[in-house]
Structure formats: C-alpha cells, structure tokens
Amino acid sequence: KDVQKEREPHVYLSKEEVKEKIQSYNSSVTDKLKMTLNANGIYTGFIKVQMELCRPITVQSSQSQGRCAPSNTETAFYLPDGCVNTLHISSTNTVREVIEALLKKFFVADNPAKFALYKRCHKEDQVYTCKLSDREHPLYLRLVAGPKTEMLSFVLREHETGEVMWEAFSIPELQNFLRILDKEENDQLQILKNRYAAYRGKLEEALRGVLKPG
C-alpha cells in the first residue's frame, strides 16, 4: 500500500538516548554495518537503498570522471529491478542529499529532482511504501527502526507526478530514450513476425495434408 507522504513527527532524542539506541542497534547488527557516535553528537552509519526505476537512467562514462578532458560519453539503459546499493551517511544528511550522493556514486547524469526516496515498512501484517520529504534524515529513521530491513527499507523511485516531466530531461537523454524505444519496437515487431510466420507455416502444412490426393 502506497501512502502519499511521510507524516510521522520527528522525535528529537537527547545525546544519551542516541547513545543507548546506537548501542542497541549495534548489538543487533548481523552484517557488520554498525553505527558510530562522534563526540559532537553526530552519528554515522549505513543504509541500503533498493532501486525501483521504471525509466532508463543516463550514466556518464567512467573515463570522463578522471583528470583527463571529459569525453561527454553518456549511455542510457534500464537498471535491473531490485538492485540494492549501500551508502555510508551521517545523521545530518537529508533525503535530498542521500539521493544526490547515490546518483553521484554511480555516475548517474540524470537530474536528482527526477527521483524520490521512499521508506517501506511493515505494519499490522501489511507493507506500506511511503514517500519521504526532502528534509527527512534517513539514518535517523534507520536507527529508530533498527537494523532489520524487514521492519524498514529504503527505495529509490522516479517522482510520481501523474505524468512524465519531459522538460526535465536533456536533449541527449531524450535521444537515448528514442533509440531505446526504437529498439524495443523493432524487437517486438520481429517477435510478431516470427509468430505469424510460424502460424502461416502450420496452416500451409495443414492445407497440404487436406489437399493431398487420397
């Protein structure tokens, strides 16, 4: 079940409460992704984000990330559904910063404004997927929920605006989308041609059997 926005109030914890929760959190961790409390009260830790993207993403060539002159090489492709990425963040990082860091980590050239972060949690034997506001702090939500992803997980999706905001895409992105659509159209057309060719062959074979002199 999807709900529109995260409406739960942010409960501000004292430094001692944060310390106790981190100790409890770390004692339950099974994958070594523990949290660390710094002297200034800011804590760091890890979150896992599942990618559920319906549209292709544009990725910059890794060669253009070095010190050499950028090659402006970009490739658009569909990301495998269910791909999970791990980020190391702090308690001060907001949802918007997490999205930007996630895209930067994998050289995604798309505008971060196209994406939204959701939380998925279990309540009363139902699974709820809820869009987080840009000012939410994912690591705080992770700390409060505990380390079990069955209780809370994060999902990256495209913004659900009712229709695609094509004006937010660059010309190279739109051209890549057209190439992908052309390829998909040609693939589907070839599948249909092969299917009807097989039907035609069976019909012709049946006709030859019927018309064959007895």
Side-chain angles (χ1 to χ4, degrees), residues 96-141:
R96 181 51 45 189
E97 291 171 335
V98 166
I99 293 174
E100 291 173 352
L102 185 62
L103 299 181
K104 183 178 179 180
K105 179 179 179 181
F106 296 96
F107 306 130
V108 177
D110 297 84
N111 189 340
K114 299 176 186 175
F115 304 93
L117 192 67
Y118 291 74
K119 78 170 185 178
R120 182 175 292 155
C121 55
H122 292 253
K123 291 182 180 179
E124 299 176 355
D125 297 328
Q126 288 191 350
V127 179
Y128 290 84
T129 303
C130 176
K131 181 180 177 182
L132 296 171
S133 67
D134 286 348
R135 295 182 180 180
E136 281 286 351
H137 296 86
L139 194 61
Y140 167 81
L141 299 175

Side-chain angles (χ1 to χ4, degrees), residues 41-205:
I42 297 173
Y43 52 96
T44 60
F46 299 85
I47 62 169
K48 294 180 179 180
V49 181
Q50 183 172 346
M51 316 291 276
E52 291 185 356
L53 305 179
C54 300
R55 296 188 289 274
I57 58 173
T58 303
V59 178
Q60 296 175 343
S61 169
S62 58
Q63 295 179 352
S64 65
Q65 303 300 319
R67 296 181 179 179
C68 301
S71 61
N72 293 326
T73 302
E74 295 183 347
T75 305
F77 65 92
Y78 284 98
L79 198 66
D81 191 26
C83 176
V84 177
N85 294 298
T86 303
L87 283 179
H88 185 251
I89 62 174
S90 80
S91 56
T92 62
N93 289 134
T94 63
V95 163
R96 181 51 45 189
E97 291 171 335
V98 166
I99 293 174
E100 291 173 352
L102 185 62
L103 299 181
K104 183 178 179 180
K105 179 179 179 181
F106 296 96
F107 306 130
V108 177
D110 297 84
N111 189 340
K114 299 176 186 175
F115 304 93
L117 192 67
Y118 291 74
K119 78 170 185 178
R120 182 175 292 155
C121 55
H122 292 253
K123 291 182 180 179
E124 299 176 355
D125 297 328
Q126 288 191 350
V127 179
Y128 290 84
T129 303
C130 176
K131 181 180 177 182
L132 296 171
S133 67
D134 286 348
R135 295 182 180 180
E136 281 286 351
H137 296 86
L139 194 61
Y140 167 81
L141 299 175
R142 178 79 279 163
L143 175 63
V144 173
K148 293 184 179 180
T149 54
E150 295 84 1
M151 299 302 297
L152 172 72
S153 59
F154 296 103
V155 180
L156 185 72
R157 293 179 178 177
E158 293 94 349
H159 259 302
E160 297 178 356
T161 58
E163 60 181 22
V164 180
M165 299 174 61
W166 296 113
E167 64 274 9
F169 293 85
S170 66
I171 291 178
E173 287 176 319
L174 295 173
Q175 291 172 336
N176 279 327
F177 294 163
L178 286 175
R179 283 193 288 268
I180 290 174
L181 289 174
D182 286 340
K183 183 180 183 303
E184 290 182 347
E185 182 181 5
N186 291 332
D187 290 344
Q188 291 299 319
L189 183 60
Q190 189 59 48
I191 290 173
L192 286 174
K193 286 182 176 180
N194 293 340
R195 182 183 303 170
Y196 282 102
Y199 289 160
R200 184 180 295 105
K202 291 180 180 179
L203 287 172
E204 290 174 349
E205 183 179 353

Side-chain angles (χ1 to χ4, degrees), residues 4-21:
Q4 190 174 16
K5 273 280 187 181
E6 169 61 46
R7 297 187 179 88
E8 295 181 5
H10 192 294
V11 179
Y12 291 94
L13 304 174
S14 66
K15 187 174 180 179
E16 189 61 33
E17 288 173 326
V18 169
K19 183 179 179 180
E20 292 177 0
K21 281 191 173 293

